[in-house]
Each structure stands twice: as C-alpha cells, then as structure tokens.
Amino acid sequence: MKSYDVAVIGSGPGGYVAAIRCAQLGMSTAIIEKYSTLGGTCLNVGCIPSKALLASSHHYEEATKHFEDHGIEIPGEIKVNLEKMIARKQAVVDQTTGGVDFLMKKNNIDVYEGLGSFIDATHIKIEGKDAGEIEAKHTIIATGSKPSNLPFIELDKERVITSTEALKLKEIPKHLMIIGGGVIGLELGQVYRRLGAEVTVIEYMDRILPTMDASLSKELNKVFKKAKFKMMVSHKVQSVERKGEEVIIKAENKKGEVVEFKGDYCLVSVGRRPYTDGLNAEAAGVKINDRGQVEVNDHLQTSASNIYAIGDVIKGAMLAHKAEEEGVFVAETLAGQKPHIDYNLIPGVVYTWPEVAAVGKTEEELKEAGVAYKVGQFPMRALGRARAGGDIDGFVKIIADKSTDEVLGIHMIGARCADLIAEAVVAMEYRASAEDISRMSHAHPTYAEAMKEAALAATDDRALHV
Ligand code: FAD
Ligand code: NAD
C-alpha cells in the first residue's frame, strides 16, 4: 500500500491548489477524484464554462445590438449556432482541466481516479478506475458541493434542470423560467436572454442578489428590466410540474395570490449543498453538522485532528478563490507555518454585464451593527472611458468609517468591475482610508477612475467630475 504525507479528496480549486502547495512544501501528495477530469465544479460545470457562455453570448449581443452604434454594419442576418457555442465552451473546459493534469505531473502529485472513502483516519479506499487503498498521515477533504433543490421539485434534468444541464442545452429555450435570483440564475439567465429566450426570474426574497449591497441589486434590476427580463421578486414557489414539453410553476406572491408561470425550461438555482456522499466521514471520526457541512475549527481542522477540510464542503462563501485560499492555508499549516485568511476580504463577483463586484461590509450590515459610516458614490456614465466604450451603466460606492475614514466596504457595478474589485481588496488589505485611495493616481481614461472619484466623494464630498 502506498503511503503519503497528504491525501487530498476532491480536485476542485480547493483540492488541486492544496495539493500543489503541499507538494511545493516538500510533502508527498496524492489527490483522489471520482470523475475522469480534474478541476471539480469550477472547471467542469461552474466558473469556467459559465464564463465561456457569457463571453460568447456577449459577443452575439454586441454584434446584434451595438455594432451599428459604432458604425459597423454586417450585411445579412447574424445567427447563433448553439451547438458550436457549446462545443467551444467544452473545448475551453477541456483545455483548462488538461492544464490541471499538467500541474499535477509537474509537481509529482499522484492522481487516483475513483471515489475516495475513509476506512479509518489514516486509510482511504478508492473505488473506480484506480481502485485500491492508500495510507495518509494527513487528509484534506475538498469534496465541494452539488446543486440544492426544493423538496417538492423533481429535477428531470431535461426541462427541469440545474446549472449543470443549463451549460449544455441543445436548443435555446423559448421561455426559461429561473427559480432563484442569485448568482447562477442571473449569469445563466443573461446568457439565454441574450440568445433570444424569454427569461423570468422567480425570487423568494424582495430583491435579486439579496446578500449583496441593496444598491447593487437595484441597479442590476434596472438594467435587466431594460433587457426585458421578467423579475418576480417576493414570490414563493409552491410547485413545479412538467407536462410534456411544458413546465408549469405555481408561486405565491406578497398578497398571498397564486401566480402561474408557463415555459419550456425551468432552471432551479436556489443555492448549493455541501457534498459528502460516499465519503464515510464517520469512519474517520469526522463530524458533519446539521447543515451537511464538514465541521472545522479556525485552523480548518475537523474533529479528527489529522484531517482538514476546505472549500464548499465547509462553512462560508461557496467561491472558487475562497476554496483556493483555504487549500494554501491548510498546506502551510501542515508545514508548520502560520497562515491567515481575512474572510471579510474575499471578494464576490457576478459576471453579468454590467459586472457586479463587492468586498467588505454592505450598508445593510453596517446599519445592523450600528457602525457610523459615510458613503461616496460615483456613476460610471460620468467617465470619459465609459462613454468612449459605450458601457455607461453602474457606479462605484465606497463606504468608510465616519470618524476614521477607514474603508469598510466597496461595492461596484459596471463594465470590468470583476477586475476593478482587485484594487478595492488591495486597499482594504492595507487598511486604506478613503482619502488614501483618492490621493493615488489612476490612469486616464479608465473605469478605475470611478474608484478615485468615489473615494473623493467619501472623503469630503469632493468628486471632481460630477
Ligand atoms: P468542487 O469544485 O465542487 O470540487 C469538489 C470535487 O470533489 C469534485 O470534482 C467532486 O467530483 C470531487 N469529489 C467529491 N466527493 C469525492 C469523493 N468521495 N472522492 C473523490 N472525489 C470526490 N465560484 C467563483 O468563485 N467564481 C465563479 O465565477 C463561479 N461560477 C460558478 C458557476 C456555476 C454554474 C457554479 C455551479 C459554481 C460557480 N462557482 C463560482 C462556485 C465554484 O465552482 C465553487 O465554489 C468551487 O468549485 C468550490 O471548490 P471546491 O474545491 O470546494 O469543490
Ligand atoms: P445563491 O445563493 O447565489 O442564490 C440562490 C437564490 O435563490 C437566492 O437569491 C435565494 O433567495 C433564492 N431562493 C432560495 N430558495 C428559494 C425559493 N424557494 N424560491 C425562490 N427563490 C429561492 O445560489 P446559486 O445562484 O444557486 O449559486 C450557488 C453557489 O454557487 C453560490 O453560493 C455562489 O457563490 C456560487 N456561484 C458563484 C458564482 C460567482 O462567483 N460568480 C457564480 C455562480 C455560482
């Protein structure tokens, strides 16, 4: 039986990054993945394929709706070839998962294909292509998550689908009904809306993106409504029924009335659940809490002291970069280092267009905590670069402590915000004040100037260009 310093179960962004960092630190490392491709949800059926489809559908929308404004005329009809679009997405996925194979080889990490389950705290059984047993001094559980469902919905995966199926549809839906106005619902909803589907979003809470700063929800809602999305907030879904090629959803609105929606596809995107099926965690003494998460302490150590857990399978945001940080954190802890993660500074991004991004506290959270704060906000439309590019929706909003001026949260919506948020994270990591940001030179003309202007507005209401 082969013996390792560390075995990692699951090869998503948490698991494969943990394996690389363990190997870099001189530990003999194995990674076990039940599927034939590495990369987990993120690379196979999450971040990467959804961004590929968002990019393709964005190009289509530009060509059909905005090229003309730029004086570009395309004779003849512009058409979508969905099969080709999905094939391109798959090629991007294949190339990216292949990159993880390369990284495993480069770092001398042994890859086992098969379902990993604990025999005891130091032995793991592998069932599948590379069946067998290995021994590991330490194990990192990185088994990720799967889509959640509502108890009364039967997911037939043809017409009543999750994100996994929505990434490989064979036709553009006529009417895509989406349950859940969170990140997946809005990103994939935008893909199919751009391609011509009618899209209805049915959200239980009183706004889309209910965990983000309310100003972002409001602005994105405005843009989506302009794009003729039907936004049904404060609707509680009661039933989903498939009749032939039709799906019928019944939901209760705020007034207590039952509203019926009919369409040809229903995407259920109401969150994801931690995944530990088949892991046999109890054999190793690893506790799973009543939310299905592997229970960990501040060192990400489970109730079995030689076993750690990271990523979607534990508490916290279900984000690829959070999983990656935790993978590095555990590897460095095992090597005797003292790593640190500031969970308040893990940014959140929604890759719609305009992009939505945030880091730190929302205004609602600060109000609730009774913190005195001030806000500086600057509209993208006041930027020369936004007008030159034609992407004028959105704003940057900086929230700072009222007395110390320390930045407490940055919330933005607009073109390229997914990348702009990195400046906000850096500023907050160094505990910048709003004035610090306002005194740094920002290249002109860029979207990043909105950060400087919002910081000026927060400092003492002295934005220059409004
Ligand atoms: P996962 O990526 O879920 O990987 C876990 C792996 O473990 C899987 O490959 C699974 O097969 C394997 N596994 C499970 N049990 C076993 C076992 N017993 N034995 C062997 N292998 C096992 N996040 C972002 O930050 N940005 C985005 O843009 C983004 N977009 C997303 C879009 C969609 C449609 C979805 C669904 C998710 C998206 N996410 C995004 C979330 C992101 O994918 C997850 O947060 C991330 O993948 C979590 O990483 P992980 O390593 O914890 O788990
Ligand atoms: P989510 O938590 O973002 O959104 C789920 C939405 O469904 C919420 O708005 C919630 O209020 C709503 N909801 C819950 N129950 C409902 C009900 N009964 N009826 C109507 N609405 C209901 O979850 P998601 O969009 O499914 O995404 C899952 C996870 O994947 C998220 O945690 C997210 O972080 C991650 N993800 C991230 C990205 C990204 O970073 N860009 C993209 C996709 C997914």
Side-chain angles (χ1 to χ4, degrees):
M1 187 196 315
K2 258 196 119 168
S3 190
Y4 295 91
D5 292 325
V6 184
V8 181
I9 307 181
S11 72
Y16 87 73
V17 167
I20 293 174
R21 190 71 188 117
C22 286
Q24 283 178 342
L25 290 164
M27 293 174 249
S28 61
T29 308
I31 190 161
I32 306 160
E33 170 55 55
K34 68 175 184 162
Y35 291 125
S36 57
T37 55
L38 302 178
T41 304
C42 175
L43 272 59
N44 290 281
V45 290
C47 325
I48 300 303
S50 58
K51 267 80 258 179
L53 292 182
L54 277 160
S56 298
S57 60
H58 194 176
H59 289 316
Y60 175 66
E61 187 170 71
E62 287 292 304
T64 48
K65 295 206 174 129
H66 303 301
F67 275 12
E68 234 182 310
D69 303 341
H70 292 269
I72 303 167
E73 288 169 11
I74 302 179
E77 199 190 344
I78 305 169
K79 282 199 278 192
V80 173
N81 180 335
L82 185 66
E83 195 182 336
K84 207 164 166 186
M85 200 179 273
I86 300 276
R88 175 194 176 270
K89 172 222 74 176
Q90 196 52 44
V92 172
V93 167
D94 294 345
Q95 203 180 21
T96 316
T97 58
V100 181
D101 289 337
F102 163 79
L103 292 172
M104 296 300 102
K105 282 196 193 92
K106 183 182 162 209
N107 288 283
N108 293 319
I109 296 162
D110 286 350
V111 177
Y112 292 88
E113 183 185 327
L115 182 82
S117 63
F118 286 105
I119 298 167
D120 57 37
T122 51
H123 294 87
I124 300 163
K125 181 165 86 182
I126 298 152
E127 288 168 284
K129 184 168 160 271
D130 299 324
E133 209 177 297
I134 62 169
E135 186 180 40
K137 276 194 212 116
H138 295 99
T139 295
I140 303 174
I141 301 172
T143 50
S145 63
K146 292 275 176 204
S148 309
N149 191 14
L150 300 175
F152 50 85
I153 300 181
E154 193 190 323
L155 293 165
D156 64 21
K157 302 200 174 175
E158 284 173 13
R159 302 246 162 211
V160 184
I161 59 177
T162 70
S163 54
T164 304
E165 295 74 50
L167 293 167
K168 52 181 183 195
L169 288 185
K170 295 213 161 31
E171 59 177 356
I172 299 165
K174 289 183 199 64
H175 180 194
L176 175 63
M177 302 175 295
I178 299 176
I179 304 180
V183 200
I184 291 182
L186 298 178
E187 288 186 357
L188 294 179
Q190 189 166 48
V191 166
Y192 287 104
R193 178 74 201 110
R194 284 168 173 163
L195 300 184
E198 186 188 330
V199 176
T200 301
V201 176
I202 306 168
E203 167 59 49
Y204 174 72
M205 303 293 278
D206 62 0
R207 60 181 172 102
I208 56 168
L209 299 176
T211 56
M212 297 191 89
D213 193 273
S215 62
L216 299 179
S217 306
K218 199 170 157 198
E219 182 75 4
L220 191 67
N221 195 51
K222 209 164 72 189
V223 176
F224 271 35
K225 275 194 152 164
K226 229 191 304 170
K228 301 212 159 40
F229 275 77
K230 290 208 179 80
M231 297 302 216
M232 313 303 292
V233 295
S234 301
H235 277 67
K236 187 176 174 201
V237 174
Q238 292 179 329
S239 66
V240 175
E241 192 191 348
R242 176 168 172 188
K243 275 194 184 156
E245 304 212 324
E246 192 175 56
V247 183
I248 302 159
I249 301 177
K250 285 190 181 142
E252 192 183 298
N253 68 14
K254 240 188 342 204
K255 294 182 205 148
E257 299 156 346
V258 175
V259 190
E260 199 174 87
F261 303 92
K262 285 184 181 168
D264 50 348
Y265 286 87
C266 166
L267 166 64
V268 182
S269 49
V270 293
R272 293 178 61 85
R273 65 171 177 90
Y275 182 75
T276 53
D277 298 5
L279 186 63
N280 203 21
E282 54 288 3
V286 171
K287 257 195 218 141
I288 311 275
N289 68 22
D290 49 14
R291 301 181 67 187
Q293 297 159 331
V294 174
E295 190 87 29
V296 289
N297 63 17
D298 288 349
H299 304 287
L300 305 184
Q301 192 175 31
T302 70
S303 48
S305 61
N306 67 323
I307 300 175
Y308 292 74
I310 59 174
D312 281 11
V313 78
I314 65 167
K315 65 189 172 183
M318 287 183 163
L319 295 173
H321 43 287
K322 178 255 192 190
E324 289 186 33
E325 292 305 327
E326 290 179 337
V328 169
F329 177 96
V330 170
E332 293 181 351
T333 302
L334 291 176
Q337 300 181 7
K338 298 215 162 11
H340 173 71
I341 299 174
D342 185 343
Y343 284 97
N344 184 44
L345 297 187
I346 305 267
V349 175
V350 189
Y351 295 81
T352 48
W353 198 263
E355 292 174 336
V356 185
V359 63
K361 302 288 183 215
T362 64
E363 234 189 297
E364 293 74 33
E365 284 168 340
L366 292 171
K367 253 184 217 148
E368 170 122 14
V371 176
Y373 63 87
K374 53 190 180 157
V375 174
Q377 191 165 316
F378 188 82
M380 293 295 190
R381 65 179 61 244
L383 295 174
R385 185 61 186 272
R387 284 199 303 278
D391 281 309
I392 54 170
D393 292 317
F395 55 81
V396 172
K397 167 174 170 178
I398 296 184
I399 310 179
D401 187 281
K402 194 158 190 167
S403 54
T404 66
D405 198 35
E406 180 176 351
V407 176
L408 303 175
I410 302 186
H411 308 275
M412 50 175 77
I413 173 167
R416 304 186 191 179
C417 282
D419 295 296
L420 279 187
I421 199 67
E423 179 186 350
V425 177
V426 173
M428 289 183 67
E429 277 286 359
Y430 286 93
R431 300 194 61 177
S433 63
E435 187 178 357
D436 288 333
I437 298 175
S438 78
R439 291 193 179 277
M440 290 176 201
S441 173
H442 286 68
H444 174 76
T446 58
Y447 290 95
E449 285 173 288
M451 272 285 286
K452 183 183 173 90
E453 292 275 6
L456 281 167
T459 307
D460 48 14
D461 200 15
R462 58 184 181 93
L464 295 162
H465 291 89
V466 275

